[in-house]
Amino acid sequence: MQHHLARTTRFVWHGAGLPITLEWTEQGEGPLVLLLPALSTVSTRHEFAELQAKLSEHYRTVSVDWPGFGDLPKPFIDGNAALLVRYLKDVLAQFKETPAMIIAAGHGAGLALLGLKDMPAVCERLVLIAPTWRGPLPTMAKGAVKPWFKTVRRVFDAPVIGPLLYWLNVRRWCIRKMINEHVYESPTFLTQARMEGKRQVPKSAGARHGSIRFVTGAFDAFLTNDAAFEAAERLACPTLMLTTEHMPTRSKENMQRLTPLVESVTLSRGRLLVHEECPEAVYQAIDAFIKAHPLPS
């Protein structure tokens, strides 16, 4: 078994009207596989580390952070889903080859669905891991977009009070509660070292702006499940959706809307970050999918 060292590349994206410094991690050789992480207060491309290492035995893998997320300092941008789709298209333009596979998780999967709606042949295979397209507050509101969501964003964006409110919402106990309820199935997976790693993400400068937009639905790819279904109908490549038996109830209901259009595998363990908690099971499901749908030579 050949092991490939991971390489980090820093780049600057200008698509939001100002320079934003981001990073991607590249590992392995072979057909290109692009990995798009979830969007959340604690998500970064590093959640793919173990899965990426396994995939890199057969592929050239690239995992990339989203603007407003990751662990680097972040300038203020009043972003939305359309902006992140523009970013995805710009990332894809960096490569000379069509990705053999795009693997996207959580809200990253929702954004991939939205982006591929206008460029359905942009990859040979697509894997959606626990796809979501509603942020926490719109999910609680059963899909409704409330006017006060924008007010919440303005308050968190404001100097002084914004950082204070964000600090109160990313205390250790808050992060632990969120992770144990929605992110990981096993409480023992959140070790002290892993918790410290997660806590570094919201500590980065400007992290509150992207985080509060995720929470309030600014980055939601679709307003309705029917809209997500219509986007999935336009996909031009074999598509795998991975869910688990332990997904949050409303998230699972949304994911089930796509089952008539994709190949769906329900894993026995894990929650929204199943690719981080159970990388071997996710890898095996992807490997079986590719064997059933071999990539063009």
mmCIF file of all heavy atoms in Angstrom, residues 190-228:
data_model
loop_
_atom_site.group_PDB
_atom_site.id
_atom_site.type_symbol
_atom_site.label_atom_id
_atom_site.label_comp_id
_atom_site.label_asym_id
_atom_site.label_seq_id
_atom_site.Cartn_x
_atom_site.Cartn_y
_atom_site.Cartn_z
ATOM 1 N N LEU A 190 -15.654 12.362 20.501
ATOM 2 C CA LEU A 190 -15.233 13.734 20.780
ATOM 3 C C LEU A 190 -14.220 13.721 21.933
ATOM 4 O O LEU A 190 -14.527 14.045 23.079
ATOM 5 C CB LEU A 190 -16.435 14.605 21.128
ATOM 6 C CG LEU A 190 -16.146 16.097 21.271
ATOM 7 C CD1 LEU A 190 -15.595 16.677 19.984
ATOM 8 C CD2 LEU A 190 -17.405 16.848 21.696
ATOM 9 N N THR A 191 -13.000 13.345 21.611
ATOM 10 C CA THR A 191 -11.925 13.327 22.592
ATOM 11 C C THR A 191 -11.517 14.755 22.931
ATOM 12 O O THR A 191 -11.899 15.720 22.250
ATOM 13 C CB THR A 191 -10.714 12.575 22.042
ATOM 14 O OG1 THR A 191 -10.249 13.266 20.866
ATOM 15 C CG2 THR A 191 -11.076 11.136 21.682
ATOM 16 N N GLN A 192 -10.699 14.889 23.978
ATOM 17 C CA GLN A 192 -10.234 16.215 24.357
ATOM 18 C C GLN A 192 -9.433 16.853 23.215
ATOM 19 O O GLN A 192 -9.597 18.036 22.907
ATOM 20 C CB GLN A 192 -9.372 16.139 25.615
ATOM 21 C CG GLN A 192 -8.887 17.503 26.088
ATOM 22 C CD GLN A 192 -8.152 17.423 27.415
ATOM 23 O OE1 GLN A 192 -8.195 16.414 28.100
ATOM 24 N NE2 GLN A 192 -7.470 18.494 27.782
ATOM 25 N N ALA A 193 -8.583 16.059 22.564
ATOM 26 C CA ALA A 193 -7.774 16.587 21.463
ATOM 27 C C ALA A 193 -8.657 17.023 20.306
ATOM 28 O O ALA A 193 -8.433 18.081 19.692
ATOM 29 C CB ALA A 193 -6.778 15.529 21.000
ATOM 30 N N ARG A 194 -9.676 16.227 19.993
ATOM 31 C CA ARG A 194 -10.571 16.580 18.889
ATOM 32 C C ARG A 194 -11.388 17.827 19.241
ATOM 33 O O ARG A 194 -11.624 18.688 18.402
ATOM 34 C CB ARG A 194 -11.477 15.400 18.558
ATOM 35 C CG ARG A 194 -12.258 15.550 17.264
ATOM 36 C CD ARG A 194 -12.826 14.233 16.797
ATOM 37 N NE ARG A 194 -11.836 13.408 16.108
ATOM 38 C CZ ARG A 194 -11.391 12.236 16.536
ATOM 39 N NH1 ARG A 194 -11.839 11.712 17.669
ATOM 40 N NH2 ARG A 194 -10.502 11.560 15.839
ATOM 41 N N MET A 195 -11.822 17.921 20.490
ATOM 42 C CA MET A 195 -12.550 19.101 20.928
ATOM 43 C C MET A 195 -11.686 20.356 20.803
ATOM 44 O O MET A 195 -12.140 21.398 20.304
ATOM 45 C CB MET A 195 -13.017 18.927 22.379
ATOM 46 C CG MET A 195 -13.516 20.216 23.032
ATOM 47 S SD MET A 195 -14.982 20.916 22.221
ATOM 48 C CE MET A 195 -16.270 20.235 23.265
ATOM 49 N N GLU A 196 -10.426 20.265 21.205
ATOM 50 C CA GLU A 196 -9.552 21.424 21.108
ATOM 51 C C GLU A 196 -9.360 21.841 19.655
ATOM 52 O O GLU A 196 -9.290 23.029 19.333
ATOM 53 C CB GLU A 196 -8.202 21.141 21.777
ATOM 54 C CG GLU A 196 -8.284 21.024 23.291
ATOM 55 C CD GLU A 196 -9.002 22.217 23.912
ATOM 56 O OE1 GLU A 196 -8.651 23.369 23.584
ATOM 57 O OE2 GLU A 196 -9.918 22.007 24.735
ATOM 58 N N GLY A 197 -9.271 20.855 18.763
ATOM 59 C CA GLY A 197 -9.168 21.167 17.344
ATOM 60 C C GLY A 197 -10.397 21.885 16.833
ATOM 61 O O GLY A 197 -10.311 22.860 16.074
ATOM 62 N N LYS A 198 -11.579 21.408 17.226
ATOM 63 C CA LYS A 198 -12.823 22.034 16.806
ATOM 64 C C LYS A 198 -12.946 23.457 17.362
ATOM 65 O O LYS A 198 -13.452 24.359 16.688
ATOM 66 C CB LYS A 198 -14.020 21.203 17.268
ATOM 67 C CG LYS A 198 -14.121 19.825 16.639
ATOM 68 C CD LYS A 198 -14.375 19.886 15.150
ATOM 69 C CE LYS A 198 -14.544 18.516 14.542
ATOM 70 N NZ LYS A 198 -14.670 18.576 13.059
ATOM 71 N N ARG A 199 -12.482 23.667 18.569
ATOM 72 C CA ARG A 199 -12.616 24.982 19.189
ATOM 73 C C ARG A 199 -11.726 26.035 18.542
ATOM 74 O O ARG A 199 -11.988 27.237 18.651
ATOM 75 C CB ARG A 199 -12.288 24.891 20.680
ATOM 76 C CG ARG A 199 -13.302 24.114 21.506
ATOM 77 C CD ARG A 199 -13.047 24.283 22.982
ATOM 78 N NE ARG A 199 -13.350 25.640 23.423
ATOM 79 C CZ ARG A 199 -12.737 26.241 24.451
ATOM 80 N NH1 ARG A 199 -11.787 25.605 25.115
ATOM 81 N NH2 ARG A 199 -13.066 27.461 24.804
ATOM 82 N N GLN A 200 -10.689 25.594 17.833
ATOM 83 C CA GLN A 200 -9.809 26.552 17.168
ATOM 84 C C GLN A 200 -10.504 27.212 15.982
ATOM 85 O O GLN A 200 -10.166 28.333 15.595
ATOM 86 C CB GLN A 200 -8.531 25.855 16.702
ATOM 87 C CG GLN A 200 -7.634 25.363 17.824
ATOM 88 C CD GLN A 200 -7.304 26.444 18.838
ATOM 89 O OE1 GLN A 200 -6.857 27.535 18.488
ATOM 90 N NE2 GLN A 200 -7.550 26.142 20.107
ATOM 91 N N VAL A 201 -11.485 26.518 15.390
ATOM 92 C CA VAL A 201 -12.142 27.040 14.184
ATOM 93 C C VAL A 201 -12.894 28.336 14.488
ATOM 94 O O VAL A 201 -12.675 29.358 13.821
ATOM 95 C CB VAL A 201 -13.069 25.978 13.563
ATOM 96 C CG1 VAL A 201 -13.718 26.520 12.292
ATOM 97 C CG2 VAL A 201 -12.291 24.706 13.261
ATOM 98 N N PRO A 202 -13.804 28.374 15.483
ATOM 99 C CA PRO A 202 -14.505 29.633 15.761
ATOM 100 C C PRO A 202 -13.620 30.713 16.369
ATOM 101 O O PRO A 202 -14.042 31.873 16.448
ATOM 102 C CB PRO A 202 -15.619 29.215 16.731
ATOM 103 C CG PRO A 202 -15.163 27.943 17.334
ATOM 104 C CD PRO A 202 -14.352 27.257 16.293
ATOM 105 N N LYS A 203 -12.403 30.349 16.786
ATOM 106 C CA LYS A 203 -11.495 31.352 17.344
ATOM 107 C C LYS A 203 -10.817 32.187 16.270
ATOM 108 O O LYS A 203 -10.245 33.241 16.558
ATOM 109 C CB LYS A 203 -10.433 30.680 18.220
ATOM 110 C CG LYS A 203 -10.951 30.173 19.554
ATOM 111 C CD LYS A 203 -9.819 29.560 20.365
ATOM 112 C CE LYS A 203 -10.316 29.060 21.723
ATOM 113 N NZ LYS A 203 -9.207 28.466 22.516
ATOM 114 N N SER A 204 -10.845 31.738 15.014
ATOM 115 C CA SER A 204 -10.170 32.481 13.951
ATOM 116 C C SER A 204 -10.890 33.799 13.692
ATOM 117 O O SER A 204 -12.113 33.899 13.804
ATOM 118 C CB SER A 204 -10.099 31.643 12.674
ATOM 119 O OG SER A 204 -11.396 31.344 12.199
ATOM 120 N N ALA A 205 -10.130 34.821 13.343
ATOM 121 C CA ALA A 205 -10.687 36.158 13.145
ATOM 122 C C ALA A 205 -11.760 36.149 12.056
ATOM 123 O O ALA A 205 -11.565 35.588 10.981
ATOM 124 C CB ALA A 205 -9.575 37.129 12.767
ATOM 125 N N GLY A 206 -12.900 36.757 12.353
ATOM 126 C CA GLY A 206 -13.974 36.872 11.381
ATOM 127 C C GLY A 206 -14.847 35.648 11.243
ATOM 128 O O GLY A 206 -15.756 35.628 10.395
ATOM 129 N N ALA A 207 -14.623 34.619 12.067
ATOM 130 C CA ALA A 207 -15.367 33.364 11.918
ATOM 131 C C ALA A 207 -16.866 33.546 12.144
ATOM 132 O O ALA A 207 -17.678 32.809 11.581
ATOM 133 C CB ALA A 207 -14.823 32.311 12.885
ATOM 134 N N ARG A 208 -17.233 34.525 12.943
ATOM 135 C CA ARG A 208 -18.655 34.660 13.291
ATOM 136 C C ARG A 208 -19.522 35.010 12.082
ATOM 137 O O ARG A 208 -20.701 34.655 12.046
ATOM 138 C CB ARG A 208 -18.837 35.702 14.393
ATOM 139 C CG ARG A 208 -18.643 37.147 13.972
ATOM 140 C CD ARG A 208 -18.740 38.078 15.176
ATOM 141 N NE ARG A 208 -18.824 39.489 14.820
ATOM 142 C CZ ARG A 208 -17.791 40.257 14.539
ATOM 143 N NH1 ARG A 208 -16.560 39.743 14.545
ATOM 144 N NH2 ARG A 208 -17.958 41.543 14.236
ATOM 145 N N HIS A 209 -18.964 35.682 11.095
ATOM 146 C CA HIS A 209 -19.783 36.141 9.960
ATOM 147 C C HIS A 209 -20.287 34.970 9.120
ATOM 148 O O HIS A 209 -21.465 34.897 8.771
ATOM 149 C CB HIS A 209 -18.980 37.109 9.097
ATOM 150 C CG HIS A 209 -18.436 38.287 9.842
ATOM 151 N ND1 HIS A 209 -19.239 39.194 10.500
ATOM 152 C CD2 HIS A 209 -17.146 38.693 10.061
ATOM 153 C CE1 HIS A 209 -18.480 40.123 11.073
ATOM 154 N NE2 HIS A 209 -17.217 39.839 10.822
ATOM 155 N N GLY A 210 -19.394 34.034 8.774
ATOM 156 C CA GLY A 210 -19.830 32.862 8.021
ATOM 157 C C GLY A 210 -20.706 31.953 8.858
ATOM 158 O O GLY A 210 -21.706 31.416 8.369
ATOM 159 N N SER A 211 -20.341 31.795 10.123
ATOM 160 C CA SER A 211 -21.081 30.903 11.007
ATOM 161 C C SER A 211 -22.530 31.345 11.173
ATOM 162 O O SER A 211 -23.460 30.538 11.052
ATOM 163 C CB SER A 211 -20.389 30.838 12.374
ATOM 164 O OG SER A 211 -21.114 30.036 13.267
ATOM 165 N N ILE A 212 -22.743 32.646 11.423
ATOM 166 C CA ILE A 212 -24.118 33.100 11.646
ATOM 167 C C ILE A 212 -24.919 33.055 10.348
ATOM 168 O O ILE A 212 -26.152 32.856 10.375
ATOM 169 C CB ILE A 212 -24.138 34.520 12.274
ATOM 170 C CG1 ILE A 212 -25.507 34.815 12.889
ATOM 171 C CG2 ILE A 212 -23.763 35.581 11.258
ATOM 172 C CD1 ILE A 212 -25.912 33.861 13.998
ATOM 173 N N ARG A 213 -24.267 33.182 9.217
ATOM 174 C CA ARG A 213 -24.986 33.058 7.947
ATOM 175 C C ARG A 213 -25.391 31.615 7.685
ATOM 176 O O ARG A 213 -26.469 31.356 7.140
ATOM 177 C CB ARG A 213 -24.135 33.642 6.811
ATOM 178 C CG ARG A 213 -24.251 35.141 6.738
ATOM 179 C CD ARG A 213 -23.129 35.849 6.016
ATOM 180 N NE ARG A 213 -23.436 37.291 6.006
ATOM 181 C CZ ARG A 213 -23.300 38.078 7.080
ATOM 182 N NH1 ARG A 213 -22.837 37.576 8.217
ATOM 183 N NH2 ARG A 213 -23.621 39.361 7.008
ATOM 184 N N PHE A 214 -24.553 30.683 8.075
ATOM 185 C CA PHE A 214 -24.949 29.280 7.976
ATOM 186 C C PHE A 214 -26.150 29.008 8.886
ATOM 187 O O PHE A 214 -27.151 28.417 8.458
ATOM 188 C CB PHE A 214 -23.784 28.369 8.349
ATOM 189 C CG PHE A 214 -24.205 26.972 8.699
ATOM 190 C CD1 PHE A 214 -24.677 26.114 7.719
ATOM 191 C CD2 PHE A 214 -24.179 26.529 10.019
ATOM 192 C CE1 PHE A 214 -25.099 24.830 8.035
ATOM 193 C CE2 PHE A 214 -24.595 25.246 10.342
ATOM 194 C CZ PHE A 214 -25.056 24.396 9.352
ATOM 195 N N VAL A 215 -26.068 29.445 10.118
ATOM 196 C CA VAL A 215 -27.125 29.170 11.103
ATOM 197 C C VAL A 215 -28.459 29.767 10.671
ATOM 198 O O VAL A 215 -29.519 29.148 10.841
ATOM 199 C CB VAL A 215 -26.709 29.702 12.490
ATOM 200 C CG1 VAL A 215 -27.882 29.655 13.466
ATOM 201 C CG2 VAL A 215 -25.543 28.891 13.045
ATOM 202 N N THR A 216 -28.423 30.953 10.075
ATOM 203 C CA THR A 216 -29.664 31.654 9.731
ATOM 204 C C THR A 216 -30.120 31.403 8.291
ATOM 205 O O THR A 216 -31.095 32.011 7.837
ATOM 206 C CB THR A 216 -29.506 33.167 9.939
ATOM 207 O OG1 THR A 216 -28.391 33.643 9.156
ATOM 208 C CG2 THR A 216 -29.282 33.494 11.404
ATOM 209 N N GLY A 217 -29.429 30.536 7.567
ATOM 210 C CA GLY A 217 -29.919 30.122 6.260
ATOM 211 C C GLY A 217 -29.444 30.927 5.067
ATOM 212 O O GLY A 217 -29.914 30.697 3.951
ATOM 213 N N ALA A 218 -28.490 31.858 5.250
ATOM 214 C CA ALA A 218 -28.020 32.647 4.114
ATOM 215 C C ALA A 218 -27.325 31.773 3.074
ATOM 216 O O ALA A 218 -27.295 32.114 1.889
ATOM 217 C CB ALA A 218 -27.067 33.750 4.588
ATOM 218 N N PHE A 219 -26.755 30.651 3.513
ATOM 219 C CA PHE A 219 -26.051 29.764 2.599
ATOM 220 C C PHE A 219 -26.902 28.570 2.167
ATOM 221 O O PHE A 219 -26.375 27.606 1.612
ATOM 222 C CB PHE A 219 -24.761 29.252 3.247
ATOM 223 C CG PHE A 219 -23.743 30.335 3.493
ATOM 224 C CD1 PHE A 219 -23.142 30.466 4.740
ATOM 225 C CD2 PHE A 219 -23.391 31.225 2.491
ATOM 226 C CE1 PHE A 219 -22.198 31.455 4.973
ATOM 227 C CE2 PHE A 219 -22.455 32.223 2.721
ATOM 228 C CZ PHE A 219 -21.850 32.337 3.965
ATOM 229 N N ASP A 220 -28.203 28.633 2.423
ATOM 230 C CA ASP A 220 -29.079 27.525 2.025
ATOM 231 C C ASP A 220 -29.188 27.469 0.504
ATOM 232 O O ASP A 220 -29.546 28.458 -0.146
ATOM 233 C CB ASP A 220 -30.466 27.692 2.644
ATOM 234 C CG ASP A 220 -30.467 27.430 4.142
ATOM 235 O OD1 ASP A 220 -29.383 27.172 4.700
ATOM 236 O OD2 ASP A 220 -31.551 27.481 4.748
ATOM 237 N N ALA A 221 -28.895 26.296 -0.049
ATOM 238 C CA ALA A 221 -28.911 26.135 -1.505
ATOM 239 C C ALA A 221 -30.333 26.144 -2.063
ATOM 240 O O ALA A 221 -30.559 26.584 -3.194
ATOM 241 C CB ALA A 221 -28.200 24.845 -1.895
ATOM 242 N N PHE A 222 -31.292 25.646 -1.286
ATOM 243 C CA PHE A 222 -32.676 25.538 -1.756
ATOM 244 C C PHE A 222 -33.628 25.935 -0.638
ATOM 245 O O PHE A 222 -33.367 25.665 0.536
ATOM 246 C CB PHE A 222 -32.990 24.102 -2.197
ATOM 247 C CG PHE A 222 -32.012 23.549 -3.198
ATOM 248 C CD1 PHE A 222 -31.037 22.639 -2.809
ATOM 249 C CD2 PHE A 222 -32.042 23.956 -4.524
ATOM 250 C CE1 PHE A 222 -30.118 22.135 -3.713
ATOM 251 C CE2 PHE A 222 -31.132 23.462 -5.441
ATOM 252 C CZ PHE A 222 -30.165 22.553 -5.041
ATOM 253 N N LEU A 223 -34.734 26.556 -1.021
ATOM 254 C CA LEU A 223 -35.740 26.930 -0.033
ATOM 255 C C LEU A 223 -36.701 25.795 0.256
ATOM 256 O O LEU A 223 -37.320 25.755 1.323
ATOM 257 C CB LEU A 223 -36.515 28.161 -0.514
ATOM 258 C CG LEU A 223 -35.706 29.453 -0.650
ATOM 259 C CD1 LEU A 223 -36.599 30.587 -1.132
ATOM 260 C CD2 LEU A 223 -35.035 29.815 0.668
ATOM 261 N N THR A 224 -36.843 24.870 -0.707
ATOM 262 C CA THR A 224 -37.776 23.762 -0.524
ATOM 263 C C THR A 224 -37.109 22.455 -0.937
ATOM 264 O O THR A 224 -36.151 22.435 -1.725
ATOM 265 C CB THR A 224 -39.047 23.948 -1.377
ATOM 266 O OG1 THR A 224 -38.689 23.854 -2.766
ATOM 267 C CG2 THR A 224 -39.698 25.293 -1.098
ATOM 268 N N ASN A 225 -37.650 21.356 -0.439
ATOM 269 C CA ASN A 225 -37.162 20.040 -0.838
ATOM 270 C C ASN A 225 -37.458 19.770 -2.315
ATOM 271 O O ASN A 225 -36.702 19.059 -2.992
ATOM 272 C CB ASN A 225 -37.790 18.955 0.033
ATOM 273 C CG ASN A 225 -37.286 18.997 1.456
ATOM 274 O OD1 ASN A 225 -36.262 19.624 1.740
ATOM 275 N ND2 ASN A 225 -37.989 18.348 2.362
ATOM 276 N N ASP A 226 -38.552 20.317 -2.804
ATOM 277 C CA ASP A 226 -38.881 20.140 -4.227
ATOM 278 C C ASP A 226 -37.821 20.781 -5.115
ATOM 279 O O ASP A 226 -37.476 20.244 -6.175
ATOM 280 C CB ASP A 226 -40.251 20.742 -4.540
ATOM 281 C CG ASP A 226 -41.397 19.897 -4.004
ATOM 282 O OD1 ASP A 226 -41.146 18.724 -3.640
ATOM 283 O OD2 ASP A 226 -42.534 20.399 -3.942
ATOM 284 N N ALA A 227 -37.300 21.933 -4.702
ATOM 285 C CA ALA A 227 -36.255 22.598 -5.481
ATOM 286 C C ALA A 227 -34.983 21.748 -5.501
ATOM 287 O O ALA A 227 -34.297 21.650 -6.534
ATOM 288 C CB ALA A 227 -35.966 23.980 -4.911
ATOM 289 N N ALA A 228 -34.654 21.115 -4.372
ATOM 290 C CA ALA A 228 -33.500 20.219 -4.335
ATOM 291 C C ALA A 228 -33.730 19.014 -5.244
ATOM 292 O O ALA A 228 -32.819 18.560 -5.959
ATOM 293 C CB ALA A 228 -33.244 19.759 -2.897
#
